Amino acid sequence: MSFWPKRALILGESGGIGSALSEALRVNGVEVVGLSRSRDGFDLADPATVDRCLGMLEGTFDLVFVATGILAPSQHSPEKSLFAIEAEVMAEMFKVNAIGPALILRHIPKILTPDRPTVTAVLTARVGSISDNRSGGWYSYRASKAAANQIVRSAAIEIARKHKNACVVALHPGTVQTAFTSDYPGYEKRTAPVAAAQLIEVMKDLEPQQTGQFLDWAGKRVPW
Ligand SMILES: NC(=O)c1ccc[n+]([C@@H]2O[C@H](COP(=O)([O-])OP(=O)(O)OC[C@H]3O[C@@H](n4cnc5c(N)ncnc54)[C@H](OP(=O)(O)O)[C@@H]3O)[C@@H](O)[C@H]2O)c1
């Protein structure tokens, strides 16, 4: 049976992928509620704003999509060597990319529509895969996304105990042309609307028994 949401919540709706996904869902008749740091003060680095924004939401959602994330704090870039590691930068990366999704996920049991199939998807990244790491570097980004994957997996197990129809997954969107990748002009990138359409196709095929998986934009399992 194909999953299709009536009501979706997009966290990080201001981002390249978040905005494209929001638009694609809206034009297809989904009621979308979006939250963003720049527009709503929804700041993952400030847990009180996360609780306030999520606590103010009314009603429940069939789809919750976490599209937030950073490659590096502003004025920084991913580390190319061990020597480049800075404690404060790494802490900031964990705050936004790993603790941030965890702060969101702790609200999920309250905001999922009961008695209907639901999907909760968190954008992580293939470079967060430990077994797929063949080139090293990018310590903070890789480690923060690996931590996010583990948090998604644990949340999936816990949420499944009471929400039998819930599917909670980590998704890798592929390389997408957004502000996120603007410093990497040489890479082949898909546009955000194309990436959003592909992610929607993946989510449409999700079943509750797939909860806890890490999937890419084509629906293929990514190794942890
Ligand atoms: N683009 C790619 O090629 C690619 C590849 C692999 C994985 N991903 C993952 O996909 C996700 C989205 O990427 P994107 O390309 O759409 O990036 P983007 O265009 O740079 O958007 C990033 C989003 O994250 C939000 N954000 C950043 N820091 C935040 C904070 N402290 N609190 C709350 N929101 C915050 C931004 O909010 P404001 O703008 O409102 O501040 C924005 O909505 C990220 O997790 C990224 O790791 C992307």
Side-chain angles (χ1 to χ4, degrees):
M1 202 179 70
S2 185
F3 167 76
W4 189 251
K6 285 189 184 157
R7 199 159 184 256
L9 173 64
I10 302 193
L11 291 326
E13 197 193 28
S14 55
I17 298 172
S19 58
L21 187 82
S22 175
E23 174 67 13
L25 291 170
R26 276 182 222 270
V27 299
N28 283 292
V30 179
E31 182 191 345
V32 178
V33 175
L35 286 172
S36 302
R37 176 177 60 175
S38 48
R39 194 185 55 205
D40 309 294
F42 174 78
D43 186 355
L44 297 179
D46 180 355
T49 70
V50 177
D51 288 344
R52 193 187 67 233
C53 289
L54 294 181
M56 279 166 48
L57 294 171
E58 287 178 5
T60 59
F61 299 90
D62 318 312
L63 170 64
V64 179
F65 193 92
V66 182
T68 53
I70 53 173
L71 188 58
S74 57
Q75 314 303 323
H76 290 83
S77 45
E79 309 94 346
K80 290 192 176 138
S81 71
L82 287 167
F83 187 68
I85 292 173
E86 290 178 53
E88 279 180 16
V89 167
M90 195 174 253
E92 176 74 12
M93 292 297 290
F94 270 79
K95 213 182 245 187
V96 177
N97 285 351
I99 300 170
L103 296 175
I104 295 169
L105 286 166
R106 70 181 178 175
H107 286 263
I108 290 298
K110 285 178 288 180
I111 62 175
L112 285 183
T113 308
D115 307 323
R116 258 177 68 84
T118 63
V119 169
T120 301
V122 179
L123 286 182
T124 65
R126 190 185 298 278
V127 300
S129 164
I130 293 171
S131 54
D132 192 57
N133 183 354
R134 292 182 181 85
S135 49
W138 290 28
Y139 291 90
S140 298
Y141 184 67
R142 282 186 188 279
S144 64
K145 290 295 189 178
N149 280 342
Q150 182 68 283
I151 289 162
V152 170
R153 176 80 176 191
S154 276
I157 292 167
E158 181 179 338
I159 289 166
R161 292 189 188 122
K162 287 196 180 146
H163 295 258
K164 303 288 178 214
N165 293 316
C167 187
V168 180
V169 291
L171 294 180
H172 167 61
T175 307
V176 186
Q177 197 179 330
T178 64
F180 194 89
T181 54
S182 58
D183 287 342
Y184 298 86
Y187 285 72
E188 193 179 318
K189 301 171 196 171
R190 285 163 307 118
T191 65
V194 166
Q198 287 167 326
L199 291 168
I200 287 172
E201 285 307 310
V202 171
M203 293 189 288
K204 271 165 77 176
D205 285 343
L206 286 175
E207 305 273 356
Q209 55 270 27
Q210 287 173 275
T211 201
Q213 291 187 357
F214 179 20
L215 300 163
D216 73 7
W217 54 272
K220 291 203 189 99
R221 298 284 292 267
V222 182
W224 301 109

mmCIF file with all atom_site columns, all heavy atoms in Angstrom, residues 77-94:
data_model
loop_
_atom_site.group_PDB
_atom_site.id
_atom_site.type_symbol
_atom_site.label_atom_id
_atom_site.label_alt_id
_atom_site.label_comp_id
_atom_site.label_asym_id
_atom_site.label_entity_id
_atom_site.label_seq_id
_atom_site.pdbx_PDB_ins_code
_atom_site.Cartn_x
_atom_site.Cartn_y
_atom_site.Cartn_z
_atom_site.occupancy
_atom_site.B_iso_or_equiv
_atom_site.pdbx_formal_charge
_atom_site.auth_seq_id
_atom_site.auth_comp_id
_atom_site.auth_asym_id
_atom_site.auth_atom_id
_atom_site.pdbx_PDB_model_num
ATOM 1   N N   . SER A 1 77 ? 35.039 25.424 7.190  1.00 0.00 ? 77 SER A N   1
ATOM 2   C CA  . SER A 1 77 ? 34.742 24.383 6.199  1.00 0.00 ? 77 SER A CA  1
ATOM 3   C C   . SER A 1 77 ? 35.125 23.033 6.805  1.00 0.00 ? 77 SER A C   1
ATOM 4   O O   . SER A 1 77 ? 35.854 22.977 7.803  1.00 0.00 ? 77 SER A O   1
ATOM 5   C CB  . SER A 1 77 ? 35.495 24.657 4.892  1.00 0.00 ? 77 SER A CB  1
ATOM 6   O OG  . SER A 1 77 ? 36.814 25.016 5.155  1.00 0.00 ? 77 SER A OG  1
ATOM 7   N N   . PRO A 1 78 ? 34.634 21.929 6.211  1.00 0.00 ? 78 PRO A N   1
ATOM 8   C CA  . PRO A 1 78 ? 34.917 20.613 6.811  1.00 0.00 ? 78 PRO A CA  1
ATOM 9   C C   . PRO A 1 78 ? 36.428 20.370 6.915  1.00 0.00 ? 78 PRO A C   1
ATOM 10  O O   . PRO A 1 78 ? 37.186 20.763 6.023  1.00 0.00 ? 78 PRO A O   1
ATOM 11  C CB  . PRO A 1 78 ? 34.274 19.634 5.824  1.00 0.00 ? 78 PRO A CB  1
ATOM 12  C CG  . PRO A 1 78 ? 33.254 20.423 5.092  1.00 0.00 ? 78 PRO A CG  1
ATOM 13  C CD  . PRO A 1 78 ? 33.772 21.826 5.014  1.00 0.00 ? 78 PRO A CD  1
ATOM 14  N N   . GLU A 1 79 ? 36.845 19.714 8.008  1.00 0.00 ? 79 GLU A N   1
ATOM 15  C CA  . GLU A 1 79 ? 38.276 19.488 8.251  1.00 0.00 ? 79 GLU A CA  1
ATOM 16  C C   . GLU A 1 79 ? 38.880 18.551 7.202  1.00 0.00 ? 79 GLU A C   1
ATOM 17  O O   . GLU A 1 79 ? 38.300 17.504 6.915  1.00 0.00 ? 79 GLU A O   1
ATOM 18  C CB  . GLU A 1 79 ? 38.508 18.845 9.635  1.00 0.00 ? 79 GLU A CB  1
ATOM 19  C CG  . GLU A 1 79 ? 37.835 19.544 10.802 1.00 0.00 ? 79 GLU A CG  1
ATOM 20  C CD  . GLU A 1 79 ? 36.470 18.938 11.111 1.00 0.00 ? 79 GLU A CD  1
ATOM 21  O OE1 . GLU A 1 79 ? 35.940 18.172 10.296 1.00 0.00 ? 79 GLU A OE1 1
ATOM 22  O OE2 . GLU A 1 79 ? 35.939 19.250 12.192 1.00 0.00 ? 79 GLU A OE2 1
ATOM 23  N N   . LYS A 1 80 ? 40.038 18.940 6.687  1.00 0.00 ? 80 LYS A N   1
ATOM 24  C CA  . LYS A 1 80 ? 40.727 18.050 5.734  1.00 0.00 ? 80 LYS A CA  1
ATOM 25  C C   . LYS A 1 80 ? 41.785 17.209 6.445  1.00 0.00 ? 80 LYS A C   1
ATOM 26  O O   . LYS A 1 80 ? 42.357 16.298 5.852  1.00 0.00 ? 80 LYS A O   1
ATOM 27  C CB  . LYS A 1 80 ? 41.386 18.887 4.646  1.00 0.00 ? 80 LYS A CB  1
ATOM 28  C CG  . LYS A 1 80 ? 40.362 19.522 3.714  1.00 0.00 ? 80 LYS A CG  1
ATOM 29  C CD  . LYS A 1 80 ? 41.024 20.091 2.484  1.00 0.00 ? 80 LYS A CD  1
ATOM 30  C CE  . LYS A 1 80 ? 39.985 20.632 1.533  1.00 0.00 ? 80 LYS A CE  1
ATOM 31  N NZ  . LYS A 1 80 ? 40.333 21.894 0.939  1.00 0.00 ? 80 LYS A NZ  1
ATOM 32  N N   . SER A 1 81 ? 42.120 17.553 7.690  1.00 0.00 ? 81 SER A N   1
ATOM 33  C CA  . SER A 1 81 ? 43.147 16.784 8.402  1.00 0.00 ? 81 SER A CA  1
ATOM 34  C C   . SER A 1 81 ? 42.844 16.781 9.898  1.00 0.00 ? 81 SER A C   1
ATOM 35  O O   . SER A 1 81 ? 42.073 17.624 10.388 1.00 0.00 ? 81 SER A O   1
ATOM 36  C CB  . SER A 1 81 ? 44.522 17.420 8.180  1.00 0.00 ? 81 SER A CB  1
ATOM 37  O OG  . SER A 1 81 ? 44.584 18.649 8.885  1.00 0.00 ? 81 SER A OG  1
ATOM 38  N N   . LEU A 1 82 ? 43.453 15.862 10.603 1.00 0.00 ? 82 LEU A N   1
ATOM 39  C CA  . LEU A 1 82 ? 43.304 15.811 12.066 1.00 0.00 ? 82 LEU A CA  1
ATOM 40  C C   . LEU A 1 82 ? 43.705 17.130 12.706 1.00 0.00 ? 82 LEU A C   1
ATOM 41  O O   . LEU A 1 82 ? 43.102 17.595 13.670 1.00 0.00 ? 82 LEU A O   1
ATOM 42  C CB  . LEU A 1 82 ? 44.194 14.692 12.627 1.00 0.00 ? 82 LEU A CB  1
ATOM 43  C CG  . LEU A 1 82 ? 43.711 13.269 12.378 1.00 0.00 ? 82 LEU A CG  1
ATOM 44  C CD1 . LEU A 1 82 ? 44.828 12.273 12.688 1.00 0.00 ? 82 LEU A CD1 1
ATOM 45  C CD2 . LEU A 1 82 ? 42.470 12.975 13.217 1.00 0.00 ? 82 LEU A CD2 1
ATOM 46  N N   . PHE A 1 83 ? 44.747 17.743 12.138 1.00 0.00 ? 83 PHE A N   1
ATOM 47  C CA  . PHE A 1 83 ? 45.288 18.998 12.672 1.00 0.00 ? 83 PHE A CA  1
ATOM 48  C C   . PHE A 1 83 ? 44.227 20.113 12.667 1.00 0.00 ? 83 PHE A C   1
ATOM 49  O O   . PHE A 1 83 ? 44.274 21.029 13.482 1.00 0.00 ? 83 PHE A O   1
ATOM 50  C CB  . PHE A 1 83 ? 46.498 19.397 11.811 1.00 0.00 ? 83 PHE A CB  1
ATOM 51  C CG  . PHE A 1 83 ? 47.243 20.577 12.345 1.00 0.00 ? 83 PHE A CG  1
ATOM 52  C CD1 . PHE A 1 83 ? 47.949 20.494 13.538 1.00 0.00 ? 83 PHE A CD1 1
ATOM 53  C CD2 . PHE A 1 83 ? 47.250 21.777 11.642 1.00 0.00 ? 83 PHE A CD2 1
ATOM 54  C CE1 . PHE A 1 83 ? 48.639 21.585 14.034 1.00 0.00 ? 83 PHE A CE1 1
ATOM 55  C CE2 . PHE A 1 83 ? 47.942 22.877 12.132 1.00 0.00 ? 83 PHE A CE2 1
ATOM 56  C CZ  . PHE A 1 83 ? 48.639 22.790 13.333 1.00 0.00 ? 83 PHE A CZ  1
ATOM 57  N N   . ALA A 1 84 ? 43.265 20.014 11.751 1.00 0.00 ? 84 ALA A N   1
ATOM 58  C CA  . ALA A 1 84 ? 42.258 21.083 11.605 1.00 0.00 ? 84 ALA A CA  1
ATOM 59  C C   . ALA A 1 84 ? 41.114 20.962 12.613 1.00 0.00 ? 84 ALA A C   1
ATOM 60  O O   . ALA A 1 84 ? 40.261 21.848 12.693 1.00 0.00 ? 84 ALA A O   1
ATOM 61  C CB  . ALA A 1 84 ? 41.700 21.051 10.187 1.00 0.00 ? 84 ALA A CB  1
ATOM 62  N N   . ILE A 1 85 ? 41.077 19.884 13.399 1.00 0.00 ? 85 ILE A N   1
ATOM 63  C CA  . ILE A 1 85 ? 39.955 19.701 14.332 1.00 0.00 ? 85 ILE A CA  1
ATOM 64  C C   . ILE A 1 85 ? 39.994 20.765 15.432 1.00 0.00 ? 85 ILE A C   1
ATOM 65  O O   . ILE A 1 85 ? 41.032 21.016 16.043 1.00 0.00 ? 85 ILE A O   1
ATOM 66  C CB  . ILE A 1 85 ? 40.002 18.284 14.962 1.00 0.00 ? 85 ILE A CB  1
ATOM 67  C CG1 . ILE A 1 85 ? 39.702 17.242 13.886 1.00 0.00 ? 85 ILE A CG1 1
ATOM 68  C CG2 . ILE A 1 85 ? 39.019 18.161 16.123 1.00 0.00 ? 85 ILE A CG2 1
ATOM 69  C CD1 . ILE A 1 85 ? 39.880 15.799 14.351 1.00 0.00 ? 85 ILE A CD1 1
ATOM 70  N N   . GLU A 1 86 ? 38.822 21.382 15.643 1.00 0.00 ? 86 GLU A N   1
ATOM 71  C CA  . GLU A 1 86 ? 38.679 22.370 16.722 1.00 0.00 ? 86 GLU A CA  1
ATOM 72  C C   . GLU A 1 86 ? 37.494 21.950 17.582 1.00 0.00 ? 86 GLU A C   1
ATOM 73  O O   . GLU A 1 86 ? 36.407 21.681 17.050 1.00 0.00 ? 86 GLU A O   1
ATOM 74  C CB  . GLU A 1 86 ? 38.376 23.758 16.151 1.00 0.00 ? 86 GLU A CB  1
ATOM 75  C CG  . GLU A 1 86 ? 39.528 24.413 15.417 1.00 0.00 ? 86 GLU A CG  1
ATOM 76  C CD  . GLU A 1 86 ? 39.104 25.760 14.845 1.00 0.00 ? 86 GLU A CD  1
ATOM 77  O OE1 . GLU A 1 86 ? 38.582 26.600 15.609 1.00 0.00 ? 86 GLU A OE1 1
ATOM 78  O OE2 . GLU A 1 86 ? 39.249 25.935 13.633 1.00 0.00 ? 86 GLU A OE2 1
ATOM 79  N N   . ALA A 1 87 ? 37.694 21.946 18.886 1.00 0.00 ? 87 ALA A N   1
ATOM 80  C CA  . ALA A 1 87 ? 36.655 21.450 19.796 1.00 0.00 ? 87 ALA A CA  1
ATOM 81  C C   . ALA A 1 87 ? 35.347 22.221 19.650 1.00 0.00 ? 87 ALA A C   1
ATOM 82  O O   . ALA A 1 87 ? 34.262 21.625 19.598 1.00 0.00 ? 87 ALA A O   1
ATOM 83  C CB  . ALA A 1 87 ? 37.155 21.532 21.240 1.00 0.00 ? 87 ALA A CB  1
ATOM 84  N N   . GLU A 1 88 ? 35.428 23.535 19.559 1.00 0.00 ? 88 GLU A N   1
ATOM 85  C CA  . GLU A 1 88 ? 34.182 24.326 19.505 1.00 0.00 ? 88 GLU A CA  1
ATOM 86  C C   . GLU A 1 88 ? 33.415 24.085 18.214 1.00 0.00 ? 88 GLU A C   1
ATOM 87  O O   . GLU A 1 88 ? 32.187 24.054 18.203 1.00 0.00 ? 88 GLU A O   1
ATOM 88  C CB  . GLU A 1 88 ? 34.495 25.815 19.659 1.00 0.00 ? 88 GLU A CB  1
ATOM 89  C CG  . GLU A 1 88 ? 34.695 26.183 21.104 1.00 0.00 ? 88 GLU A CG  1
ATOM 90  C CD  . GLU A 1 88 ? 35.000 27.649 21.312 1.00 0.00 ? 88 GLU A CD  1
ATOM 91  O OE1 . GLU A 1 88 ? 34.766 28.451 20.395 1.00 0.00 ? 88 GLU A OE1 1
ATOM 92  O OE2 . GLU A 1 88 ? 35.489 27.965 22.398 1.00 0.00 ? 88 GLU A OE2 1
ATOM 93  N N   . VAL A 1 89 ? 34.167 23.939 17.123 1.00 0.00 ? 89 VAL A N   1
ATOM 94  C CA  . VAL A 1 89 ? 33.521 23.682 15.831 1.00 0.00 ? 89 VAL A CA  1
ATOM 95  C C   . VAL A 1 89 ? 32.823 22.317 15.883 1.00 0.00 ? 89 VAL A C   1
ATOM 96  O O   . VAL A 1 89 ? 31.671 22.170 15.481 1.00 0.00 ? 89 VAL A O   1
ATOM 97  C CB  . VAL A 1 89 ? 34.569 23.730 14.692 1.00 0.00 ? 89 VAL A CB  1
ATOM 98  C CG1 . VAL A 1 89 ? 34.002 23.157 13.405 1.00 0.00 ? 89 VAL A CG1 1
ATOM 99  C CG2 . VAL A 1 89 ? 35.043 25.158 14.489 1.00 0.00 ? 89 VAL A CG2 1
ATOM 100 N N   . MET A 1 90 ? 33.523 21.327 16.409 1.00 0.00 ? 90 MET A N   1
ATOM 101 C CA  . MET A 1 90 ? 32.946 19.989 16.476 1.00 0.00 ? 90 MET A CA  1
ATOM 102 C C   . MET A 1 90 ? 31.695 19.983 17.366 1.00 0.00 ? 90 MET A C   1
ATOM 103 O O   . MET A 1 90 ? 30.677 19.362 17.035 1.00 0.00 ? 90 MET A O   1
ATOM 104 C CB  . MET A 1 90 ? 33.992 18.999 16.983 1.00 0.00 ? 90 MET A CB  1
ATOM 105 C CG  . MET A 1 90 ? 33.614 17.567 16.739 1.00 0.00 ? 90 MET A CG  1
ATOM 106 S SD  . MET A 1 90 ? 34.934 16.420 17.177 1.00 0.00 ? 90 MET A SD  1
ATOM 107 C CE  . MET A 1 90 ? 35.508 15.902 15.584 1.00 0.00 ? 90 MET A CE  1
ATOM 108 N N   . ALA A 1 91 ? 31.774 20.713 18.482 1.00 0.00 ? 91 ALA A N   1
ATOM 109 C CA  . ALA A 1 91 ? 30.615 20.773 19.387 1.00 0.00 ? 91 ALA A CA  1
ATOM 110 C C   . ALA A 1 91 ? 29.425 21.423 18.689 1.00 0.00 ? 91 ALA A C   1
ATOM 111 O O   . ALA A 1 91 ? 28.279 20.961 18.830 1.00 0.00 ? 91 ALA A O   1
ATOM 112 C CB  . ALA A 1 91 ? 30.983 21.542 20.651 1.00 0.00 ? 91 ALA A CB  1
ATOM 113 N N   . GLU A 1 92 ? 29.678 22.463 17.915 1.00 0.00 ? 92 GLU A N   1
ATOM 114 C CA  . GLU A 1 92 ? 28.595 23.138 17.177 1.00 0.00 ? 92 GLU A CA  1
ATOM 115 C C   . GLU A 1 92 ? 27.961 22.187 16.147 1.00 0.00 ? 92 GLU A C   1
ATOM 116 O O   . GLU A 1 92 ? 26.740 22.134 15.979 1.00 0.00 ? 92 GLU A O   1
ATOM 117 C CB  . GLU A 1 92 ? 29.177 24.383 16.478 1.00 0.00 ? 92 GLU A CB  1
ATOM 118 C CG  . GLU A 1 92 ? 28.220 25.142 15.584 1.00 0.00 ? 92 GLU A CG  1
ATOM 119 C CD  . GLU A 1 92 ? 27.182 25.957 16.349 1.00 0.00 ? 92 GLU A CD  1
ATOM 120 O OE1 . GLU A 1 92 ? 27.353 26.110 17.579 1.00 0.00 ? 92 GLU A OE1 1
ATOM 121 O OE2 . GLU A 1 92 ? 26.212 26.404 15.724 1.00 0.00 ? 92 GLU A OE2 1
ATOM 122 N N   . MET A 1 93 ? 28.811 21.414 15.491 1.00 0.00 ? 93 MET A N   1
ATOM 123 C CA  . MET A 1 93 ? 28.305 20.459 14.491 1.00 0.00 ? 93 MET A CA  1
ATOM 124 C C   . MET A 1 93 ? 27.401 19.407 15.140 1.00 0.00 ? 93 MET A C   1
ATOM 125 O O   . MET A 1 93 ? 26.357 19.046 14.600 1.00 0.00 ? 93 MET A O   1
ATOM 126 C CB  . MET A 1 93 ? 29.481 19.767 13.787 1.00 0.00 ? 93 MET A CB  1
ATOM 127 C CG  . MET A 1 93 ? 30.280 20.698 12.912 1.00 0.00 ? 93 MET A CG  1
ATOM 128 S SD  . MET A 1 93 ? 29.282 21.360 11.570 1.00 0.00 ? 93 MET A SD  1
ATOM 129 C CE  . MET A 1 93 ? 29.071 19.901 10.570 1.00 0.00 ? 93 MET A CE  1
ATOM 130 N N   . PHE A 1 94 ? 27.832 18.906 16.289 1.00 0.00 ? 94 PHE A N   1
ATOM 131 C CA  . PHE A 1 94 ? 27.002 17.917 16.992 1.00 0.00 ? 94 PHE A CA  1
ATOM 132 C C   . PHE A 1 94 ? 25.696 18.556 17.473 1.00 0.00 ? 94 PHE A C   1
ATOM 133 O O   . PHE A 1 94 ? 24.640 17.922 17.443 1.00 0.00 ? 94 PHE A O   1
ATOM 134 C CB  . PHE A 1 94 ? 27.780 17.300 18.160 1.00 0.00 ? 94 PHE A CB  1
ATOM 135 C CG  . PHE A 1 94 ? 28.539 16.078 17.728 1.00 0.00 ? 94 PHE A CG  1
ATOM 136 C CD1 . PHE A 1 94 ? 29.747 16.196 17.055 1.00 0.00 ? 94 PHE A CD1 1
ATOM 137 C CD2 . PHE A 1 94 ? 28.040 14.809 17.958 1.00 0.00 ? 94 PHE A CD2 1
ATOM 138 C CE1 . PHE A 1 94 ? 30.440 15.073 16.622 1.00 0.00 ? 94 PHE A CE1 1
ATOM 139 C CE2 . PHE A 1 94 ? 28.720 13.675 17.527 1.00 0.00 ? 94 PHE A CE2 1
ATOM 140 C CZ  . PHE A 1 94 ? 29.921 13.798 16.862 1.00 0.00 ? 94 PHE A CZ  1
#
